[in-house]
Amino acid sequence: MKHFLLIITVCILSSCQPKTYDYLKMQGKIFGTFYNIIYQPVKENDSIDMGITKELDKVDWALSTFKDTSTISKFNFSNKGITIDPMMKYVYESGISIYKNTDGAFDMTVGPLVNAWGFGFKKKDNVTSGMIDSLLLNIGMDKVKLDTNNYLSKQQPEIMLDASAIAKGYGVDVVADYLASQGITNYMVEIGGEIRVAGINNKGIAWRVGIDKPIDDKAAISRELQDILSLTNVGLATSGNYRNFYVKNGKKYAHTIDPKTGYPVQHSLLSASIIAKECMVADGYATACMVMGLEKSMQVIESLPNIEGYFIYQDENGENQVKYTKGFEKLILQQ
């Protein structure tokens, strides 16, 4: 009788264990870059590719400045403003928060300046100080207001919004939230280098994510890792000036534009990697840090709850150095 009861108990316990499935991978192109998704399905033959694609398309039609009929393009083409969709509203409100917390270093109206310097969605012009002064008149998120009816207005017709510094991170969050809504708890979502992870990887441990060493390589062929992180249930975004730049008359022009001066930044900070619960938030702050520089970035990130930063900079001898917030240290794997 005892053996019979033991067999029944073992069978019951075994039947209570959920069946696990092999991790699946999905790749594609969106926002002018590539995405990679790894997840553990909760059902056999569970392919949710179509659902993910639909979610990414929603983001694209809300925030792409390369689509003339996207929500953000309609706002840019308008004279006074438009009623915006929920996605653009969420991104705009997050952008305003980061704008205020960074004293304007993150600014979604900086697009015309980015275009003028040759890094945006329009062709490069010959930049003059007069042109920059003129463009600065239309820069500043304080010139854009959202009312209770979701109408986003602007002070001048020339004001434009550009979500490129936050859209990839938001796209990552949208996909991650979709996966969670399908009951998926173990996943990694990456779009153009911005990442959000949850649960564990296929080896049963936290996800391993590398931080690149800053190397001037526009083709992104060379890649060395500065550090490897152990992450779960967070978003990670990195911004740097070592990939997107050009050289003219012997001078290097980086793609990070200071919204206050109108000119590409010139300081020792080479890259900023930010960790936050939402990848969109990490994305926005990473961009802001590249504007603010090392010391100001450390001050701002350390003052914010549940946000950590990792910074690679060049010292006075031209050597690369690393500095990070206190909470970031526990995420770095000892090599």
Side-chain angles (χ1 to χ4, degrees), residues 48-295:
I48 54 176
D49 293 17
M50 186 174 295
I52 291 172
T53 300
K54 285 182 178 179
E55 293 301 308
L56 287 171
D57 284 343
K58 289 178 187 177
V59 178
D60 208 23
W61 281 107
L63 301 173
S64 175
T65 50
F66 294 93
K67 295 182 181 296
D68 289 346
T69 55
S70 70
T71 306
I72 199 167
S73 290
K74 289 177 181 178
F75 173 84
N76 291 340
F77 293 144
S78 70
N79 289 323
K80 296 182 179 180
I82 64 168
T83 299
I84 58 176
D85 59 51
M87 282 190 164
M88 185 170 170
K89 177 185 177 182
Y90 188 71
V91 170
Y92 168 78
E93 290 179 332
S94 297
I96 278 288
S97 176
I98 300 172
Y99 170 81
K100 292 177 179 177
N101 288 340
T102 60
D103 192 28
F106 177 83
D107 194 324
M108 291 172 64
T109 66
V110 77
L113 288 169
V114 177
N115 289 336
W117 285 103
F119 298 107
F121 53 90
K122 291 186 178 180
K123 293 182 179 179
K124 179 175 61 179
D125 295 312
N126 291 320
V127 180
T128 64
S129 58
M131 175 192 294
I132 297 301
D133 290 342
S134 177
L135 291 175
L136 284 172
L137 297 175
N138 300 311
I139 306 300
M141 291 191 74
D142 56 332
K143 296 179 173 65
V144 180
K145 301 294 181 184
L146 181 66
D147 67 21
T148 55
N149 295 316
N150 297 330
Y151 185 85
L152 190 65
S153 62
K154 51 184 176 178
Q155 290 182 6
Q156 295 101 240
E158 295 80 12
I159 292 174
M160 303 171 67
L161 286 176
D162 181 3
S164 60
I166 201 171
K168 284 190 298 180
Y170 178 62
V172 168
D173 288 332
V174 168
V175 173
D177 291 342
Y178 174 74
L179 292 174
S181 74
Q182 302 302 303
I184 295 168
T185 56
N186 299 318
Y187 59 78
M188 181 186 73
V189 180
E190 180 261 331
I191 301 178
E194 320 303 13
I195 294 170
R196 188 165 136 187
V197 295
I200 55 176
N201 63 18
N202 61 349
K203 295 180 180 179
I205 58 177
W207 295 89
R208 301 305 192 239
V209 180
I211 293 181
D212 286 345
K213 280 187 178 180
I215 299 173
D216 281 356
D217 176 22
K218 294 183 70 174
I221 296 174
S222 301
R223 190 183 182 195
E224 297 179 40
L225 295 181
Q226 186 76 42
D227 268 311
I228 298 175
L229 310 179
S230 176
L231 303 178
T232 189
N233 302 323
V234 294
L236 168 69
T238 297
S239 185
N241 286 327
Y242 53 93
R243 296 279 194 220
N244 195 1
F245 65 89
Y246 64 88
V247 178
K248 184 176 181 181
N249 298 326
K251 185 175 181 179
K252 178 181 174 181
Y253 291 88
H255 79 286
T256 302
I257 311 299
D258 188 331
K260 294 182 178 179
T261 68
Y263 287 82
V265 297
Q266 298 287 328
H267 52 56
S268 64
L269 187 58
L270 300 174
S271 75
S273 297
I274 304 297
I275 285 179
K277 183 178 179 181
E278 292 180 286
C279 188
M280 173 184 63
V281 172
D283 203 1
Y285 278 111
T287 298
C289 287
M290 291 309 302
V291 173
M292 295 186 293
L294 178 62
E295 298 306 323

